Amino acid sequence: MQSHPEVAVLRYGHRPGRDDRMTTHVGLTARALGADRVLFPDNATQAAETVRDITGRFGGPFDVERTTELNATIEDWPGVVVHLTMYGEQLQSVDDEIRTTHREEPVLVVVGGEKVPGDVYEAADWNVGVTNQPHSEVAGLAVFLDRLFDGRELEQGYENAERRVIPEELGKHVVDVEDGDHAEGAAAGDGD
Amino acid sequence: MQSHPEVAVLRYGHRPGRDDRMTTHVGLTARALGADRVLFPDNATQAAETVRDITGRFGGPFDVERTTELNATIEDWPGVVVHLTMYGEQLQSVDDEIRTTHREEPVLVVVGGEKVPGDVYEAADWNVGVTNQPHSEVAGLAVFLDRLFDGRELEQGYENAERRVIPEELGKHVVDVEDGDHAEGAAAGDGD
């Protein structure tokens, strides 16, 4: 979110095909839950395209980048690095400290894909377990960001959106945003 | 978690192959973040097997079921039904009320897969958006459960585990649990 030092999410590792959907979900979760930017491995072309497409339609600002320099990004990060891993310290024992640090410093959140080398554990300022159970890197990222921003990310607005969903008790209400005006539009299909 | 009325997660819709990983992550997230049970569509055999395998190794109690009766499960649920959808009411405007209701009543959390029919929206007591942005059903489930349990799920213990991860600032510390004793064991490989 724009009012803070930057929060970027780095997806460490990607297997084209097999990981396309998970990497896409990492990117979309980063965007929806308040991060400013996601960095994907260079081979995650399809996931990058999907996240850019969603950002174009539903608004930003949110940057999607691909890099061949995952390790250098971590080592040269001008702030603190949080690596999410089931082997790390308990989230509930470090989240206050990380939240306080983020008032002053940009945060890079590293989300593992396949194998994460020991170098990443050592380069991180915090290795954090969102539980010490095996589950989902997307779930871990989501809970981490919700706590980092203390729920404020749920209130964030988006600029330059083509469409916007209006919260409803029942049904689907999607508004087309045109030149600053709001024109009513039907939701496309019955899909979720 | 065992101290409350039950929380079950229902995965609505599954395409074998394409959805195996997402459905597995829904199940593992449900288990790690405090739900008592996950219900999968009958065709999600591989995801069910994976979640059962993890539960066998890392402990429970946590039940994995498959059903051909998704709609009947929702309609006949003896408590309240929360359907997570980007079109729903804002989480932050309903989470207090749902948390209060859960003190007395079991909660069924419905997580969409492919198309979710209008019947599900109508059968739900709440349609809830974890943001009104497109992102990930796994991320939405994770934030919802963390707020439903108010973070207490991060402290939950597991019974009948074969192994347990000990939180560490650096590195991987996995303990084999044998007959109630704790024997030190090396983590398998460098994987995450």
Side-chain angles (χ1 to χ4, degrees), chain A residues 5-7 77-80 98 100-108:
Chain A
E6 182 187 32
V7 174
W77 181 254
V80 293
I98 296 172
T100 302
T101 303
H102 176 229
R103 289 188 201 136
E104 307 290 336
E105 295 193 61
V107 175
L108 180 67

Side-chain angles (χ1 to χ4, degrees), chain B residues 61-127:
Chain B
F62 184 74
D63 290 326
V64 183
E65 293 168 29
R66 291 187 294 126
T67 176
T68 57
E69 301 296 336
L70 297 172
N71 292 326
T73 301
I74 294 170
E75 283 156 21
D76 300 340
W77 181 254
V80 293
V81 175
V82 178
H83 172 220
L84 300 182
T85 161
M86 66 177 279
Y87 300 102
E89 295 181 272
Q90 295 181 311
L91 174 63
Q92 64 271 35
S93 68
V94 295
D95 59 353
D96 276 345
E97 192 181 354
I98 296 172
R99 205 159 33 230
T100 302
T101 303
H102 176 229
R103 289 188 200 135
E104 307 289 338
E105 296 194 61
V107 175
L108 181 67
V109 186
V110 180
V111 177
E114 32 185 344
K115 304 287 186 194
V116 174
D119 290 355
V120 172
Y121 287 77
E122 285 176 23
D125 294 280
W126 287 277
N127 291 290

Side-chain angles (χ1 to χ4, degrees), chain A residues 65-128:
Chain A
E65 293 168 28
R66 291 187 294 125
T67 176
T68 56
E69 301 295 336
L70 297 172
N71 292 326
T73 301
I74 294 170
E75 283 156 21
D76 300 340
W77 181 254
V80 293
V81 175
V82 178
H83 172 221
L84 300 182
T85 162
M86 66 178 277
Y87 300 103
E89 294 181 272
Q90 295 180 311
L91 174 62
Q92 64 271 36
S93 68
V94 295
D95 59 354
D96 275 345
E97 191 181 355
I98 296 172
R99 204 159 33 230
T100 302
T101 303
H102 176 229
R103 289 188 201 136
E104 307 290 336
E105 295 193 61
V107 175
L108 180 67
V109 186
V110 180
V111 177
E114 33 184 344
K115 304 288 186 193
V116 174
D119 290 356
V120 172
Y121 288 77
E122 286 176 22
D125 295 280
W126 287 277
N127 292 289
V128 177

Side-chain angles (χ1 to χ4, degrees), chain B residues 29 46 67 70 80 117 156 160 165 169 191:
Chain B
T29 297
Q46 192 188 311
T67 176
L70 297 172
V80 293
Q156 77 179 330
N160 299 314
V165 173
E169 282 187 38

Side-chain angles (χ1 to χ4, degrees), chain A residues 18-19 21-22 25 31 87 89 92 121 127 133 136 146-147 151 158 168-170 172 192, chain B residues 18-19 21-22 25 31 87 89 121 127 133 136 146-147 151 155 158 168-170 172 192:
Chain A
R18 174 165 161 74
D19 288 340
R21 205 146 160 227
M22 293 310 302
H25 281 221
R31 173 185 170 277
Y87 300 103
E89 294 181 272
Q92 64 271 36
Y121 288 77
N127 292 289
Q133 298 292 320
S136 170
D146 187 41
R147 287 174 172 237
Y158 291 86
E168 291 281 351
E169 282 187 38
L170 191 62
K172 303 176 180 181
D192 211 32
Chain B
R18 175 166 161 74
D19 288 340
R21 206 146 160 227
M22 293 310 302
H25 281 221
R31 173 185 171 277
Y87 300 102
E89 295 181 272
Y121 287 77
N127 291 290
Q133 298 292 321
S136 170
D146 187 41
R147 287 174 173 237
E155 308 282 355
Y158 291 86
E168 291 280 351
E169 282 187 38
L170 191 63
K172 303 176 181 181
D192 211 31

